[in-house]
Amino acid sequence: MVFFIYNILVIITGGLLHIVALFNKKIKLFITGRKDVFRHLKSNIHPSDKVVWFHTASLGEFEQGLPVIEEVRKRLPDYKILVTFFSPSGYEVKKNTDAADIVTYLPLDTRSNAGKFIDIVDPELVIFVKYEFWPNYLSELKKRKIKTLLISAIFREDQAFFKWYGGFMRSSLSTFDHFFVQDTNSKKLLEGIDYTNATVSGDTRFDRVSEILNRDNSLPFIETFKSNELCIVAGSTWPEDHELLASFINNDTSNTKYIIAPHNIKNKEIEKLQANILKKTVLFSKKDDQHLEEYQVFIIDTIGILTKIYSYADIAYVGGGMGTTGLHNTLEPAVFGIPVIIGKNYQKFKEAVDLIANGGITSIKSQEEFNNILKILIEKNTVRLEKGKLNAKYIEKKRGSKDLICKYIGENPSKNTSY
């Protein structure tokens, strides 16, 4: 009965989304992007193809799964890699990625969609990243005895699986041949509902972020701007972050250089930020033919280069935590062995909680706290360097999830999959 009600609700939701799409750009992408999924799959997958299917909810989960995707691609070169997204924010950014042979949306979780999708793809192995539990797809995979893994998973006690009314969702978990979970608490929760096929492997994001150190992160224009001065990089910032930064920068009498990479790079937001900063400021879009070394503040009004910019930072501030938009990626700056400052709302981000407890990240609640910690980090080299080392060591210690997962895949092939 519960399954029946679920399927009715999915169908109703699909109809409602078509109406909402008339007024909402993101929902419109969600709907229109799914129109040609089956045609796209049929034109790119031949019945004789061997396929490994990765499902990721959005961009964050894709980045989380990428180390495993790349390793499987390397070890199984004769297989096609299919990556599906639920959210437009993931698909629109990564639809042309070289990491996969086919990238598409996952159709809504109806019985007919699930059956048709798996008929076409006929995967040898399926890997879901972190979460996304779609009962019809999972039921279809179980029925066909297709090996299915959940990686970088994290479970919480307040989830339906662990409630008296969660039998319907608990049954979906039986599809997974193995769970690779981020922490011991997740493993204990699964064991509490009689799922003992779990390994604490950690989070593949640590493997992903560690690989950044092996890339070419050089940006000559940033090097020119920095000019061997102490440099603070504020990444993925929002208006509430800009208030903190502008106040501090305007009162700073040192030679410290500041780089601000706002999350929203619309002209109106950039102009407002620039107007509030009294120091000599240059925009990325207007950097050409400028003597960058003469400026104290560099505003990055473009996307795609923040990770490389972090490699030039001596101190980082990561935005999102002062408001309710959600804290952005703290691991990207932390991997470079520098101290990180964040806002007050970080409790849902396990790595931030851990790094605060470890001493490498500092959370602030007010302008006064922000001013105090930043002044200490600027003036006291030993404090700054020690906090940075704590971050680097933490990430190094957390590496290895990818290897555990890929070792399992190699030792437990599905159908014809074999390393």
Side-chain angles (χ1 to χ4, degrees):
M1 175 60 76
V2 178
F3 207 175
F4 174 77
I5 294 171
Y6 170 80
N7 282 307
I8 294 297
L9 288 174
V10 171
I11 293 170
I12 292 172
T13 300
L16 291 174
L17 287 173
H18 277 81
I19 297 172
V20 176
L22 298 173
F23 312 98
N24 186 294
K25 184 179 179 181
K26 187 174 181 179
I27 298 300
K28 184 177 181 181
L29 287 172
F30 181 95
I31 295 296
T32 57
R34 285 170 163 79
K35 284 184 177 179
D36 293 324
V37 168
F38 295 120
R39 180 194 60 77
H40 182 63
L41 289 172
K42 285 179 180 178
S43 63
N44 285 279
I45 298 176
H46 189 271
S48 63
D49 287 337
K50 295 180 290 185
V51 178
V52 178
W53 168 29
F54 288 84
H55 176 63
T56 63
S58 192
L59 184 58
E61 290 71 37
F62 173 81
E63 292 293 339
Q64 206 160 19
L66 192 55
V68 179
I69 295 172
E70 291 175 339
E71 189 65 20
V72 168
R73 193 171 184 69
K74 188 191 305 179
R75 297 195 188 195
L76 298 173
D78 296 332
Y79 282 66
K80 283 190 173 180
I81 302 294
L82 165 66
V83 172
T84 56
F85 286 96
F86 183 77
S87 167
S89 58
Y91 175 78
E92 292 300 325
V93 175
K94 292 297 179 181
K95 58 187 176 184
N96 296 315
T97 179
D98 293 331
D101 298 288
I102 310 131
V103 181
T104 186
Y105 280 102
L106 183 70
L108 285 178
D109 186 37
T110 64
R111 284 180 176 175
S112 60
N113 281 347
K116 190 174 181 181
F117 184 93
I118 296 172
D119 277 342
I120 299 170
V121 176
D122 189 25
E124 300 276 344
L125 173 66
V126 179
I127 299 175
F128 278 44
V129 181
K130 193 174 181 179
Y131 50 58
E132 292 266 297
F133 304 96
W134 299 114
N136 283 306
Y137 281 99
L138 292 175
S139 175
E140 199 66 34
L141 290 168
K142 183 179 180 180
K143 188 190 305 179
R144 303 188 193 204
K145 298 181 180 179
I146 296 172
K147 184 173 283 295
T148 306
L149 308 178
L150 182 65
I151 66 171
S152 285
I154 189 159
F155 290 94
R156 301 182 310 277
E157 197 171 354
D158 60 354
Q159 289 174 304
F161 308 111
F162 313 108
K163 302 294 185 181
W164 63 269
Y165 54 81
F168 169 58
M169 291 303 295
R170 278 196 294 276
S171 64
S172 294
L173 296 179
S174 64
T175 299
F176 295 104
D177 292 87
H178 206 82
F179 300 89
F180 290 92
V181 296
Q182 292 188 30
D183 56 22
T184 53
N185 184 60
S186 294
K187 188 174 190 291
K188 287 177 182 177
L189 285 169
L190 287 171
E191 289 172 345
I193 54 173
D194 298 325
Y195 286 99
T196 58
N197 52 332
T199 298
V200 179
S201 61
D203 190 342
T204 48
R205 284 186 304 160
F206 292 102
D207 296 289
R208 174 63 176 156
V209 78
S210 294
E211 292 168 0
I212 292 172
L213 297 175
N214 299 319
R215 302 179 196 167
D216 178 7
N217 292 302
S218 60
L219 292 170
F221 63 90
I222 295 293
E223 196 166 329
T224 300
F225 167 77
K226 183 175 179 178
S227 299
N228 296 317
E229 299 289 352
L230 192 76
C231 183
I232 297 170
V233 176
S236 303
T237 52
W238 292 81
E240 53 268 25
D241 303 309
H242 297 158
E243 289 182 21
L244 297 172
L245 291 160
S247 176
F248 187 89
I249 292 169
N250 290 340
N251 290 286
D252 183 16
T253 57
S254 72
N255 293 323
T256 302
K257 298 276 186 158
Y258 295 88
I259 301 175
I260 305 174
H263 178 79
N264 184 347
I265 58 170
K266 291 181 179 177
N267 289 338
K268 186 177 179 181
E269 294 297 324
I270 296 297
E271 288 170 4
K272 183 178 179 181
L273 171 59
Q274 189 173 17
N276 288 334
I277 295 174
L278 306 180
K279 299 295 174 70
K280 194 172 182 182
T281 303
V282 63
L283 303 182
F284 173 87
S285 58
K286 297 181 180 179
K287 73 180 188 308
D288 295 341
D289 302 320
Q290 298 292 322
H291 295 287
L292 296 177
E293 67 277 8
E294 297 177 359
Y295 291 87
Q296 192 167 0
V297 182
F298 200 157
I299 297 176
I300 310 299
D301 55 343
T302 189
I303 60 173
I305 60 173
L306 178 57
T307 302
K308 289 187 175 185
I309 292 174
Y310 278 136
S311 72
Y312 290 90
D314 297 290
I315 303 164
Y317 175 88
V318 175
M322 283 304 289
T324 58
T325 51
L327 180 66
H328 289 276
N329 194 330
T330 55
L331 296 180
E332 284 189 354
V335 75
F336 290 108
I338 58 174
V340 177
I341 303 171
I342 62 174
K344 56 191 175 183
N345 299 317
Y346 63 86
Q347 292 77 9
K348 292 182 180 179
F349 301 85
K350 185 178 185 302
E351 68 280 4
V353 173
D354 288 349
L355 285 167
I356 287 171
N358 202 45
I361 285 185
T362 303
S363 168
I364 54 97
K365 299 184 180 70
S366 64
Q367 183 75 57
E368 183 180 6
E369 289 185 1
F370 179 74
N371 293 351
N372 289 341
I373 185 60
L374 201 47
K375 188 175 180 182
I376 289 170
L377 293 175
I378 290 172
E379 295 177 355
K380 297 186 178 181
N381 291 352
T382 54
V383 175
R384 184 175 68 250
L385 294 173
E386 183 57 35
K387 283 181 171 290
K389 286 178 183 177
L390 291 172
N391 283 338
K393 286 179 181 178
Y394 174 84
I395 292 174
E396 177 63 27
K397 186 179 178 181
K398 292 287 186 177
R399 290 177 57 187
S401 180
K402 175 191 73 174
D403 295 334
L404 276 173
I405 295 165
C406 291
K407 184 174 184 289
Y408 174 89
I409 295 171
E411 293 175 351
N412 298 274
S414 174
K415 292 186 180 179
N416 301 313
T417 56
S418 177
Y419 288 173

